[in-house]
Amino acid sequence: MKKDIHPDYHMITVKMTDGTTFQMHSTWGKEGDTLALDIDPTVHPAWTGGGTRLMDAGGRVSKFKNKYAGLGF
């Protein structure tokens, strides 16, 4: 392989939203840096199957419901 063209691959600490941490190899940051996640698989509805609510303050869903209210949907 050519020298000096590949990024530095080193160990970092990843901090999950619940405070747990683990070590992994990455090209992000510098050796020993901590990457704090805002969203991770322990809290994201896509992985947890959490109940998401449809929040619509007078937007498309409300307009649709108002337009077709008499049809019994």
Side-chain angles (χ1 to χ4, degrees):
M1 294 193 323
K2 292 183 180 180
K3 294 184 181 211
D4 300 326
I5 64 166
H6 300 285
D8 181 33
Y9 191 62
H10 49 270
M11 290 294 288
I12 64 166
T13 303
V14 177
K15 183 177 179 184
M16 305 288 269
T17 56
D18 64 356
T20 59
T21 61
F22 63 93
Q23 298 282 319
M24 71 179 294
H25 283 93
S26 176
T27 58
W28 179 86
K30 296 178 291 222
E31 178 80 28
D33 281 353
T34 300
L35 175 64
L37 300 177
D38 293 331
I39 298 175
D40 62 37
T42 61
V43 297
H44 195 281
W47 288 285
T48 61
T52 58
R53 294 187 338 210
L54 183 58
M55 302 295 284
D56 185 35
R60 292 181 177 191
V61 174
S62 298
K63 288 178 186 176
F64 178 83
K65 286 182 179 179
N66 291 337
K67 183 175 181 180
Y68 298 104
L71 296 177
F73 288 119

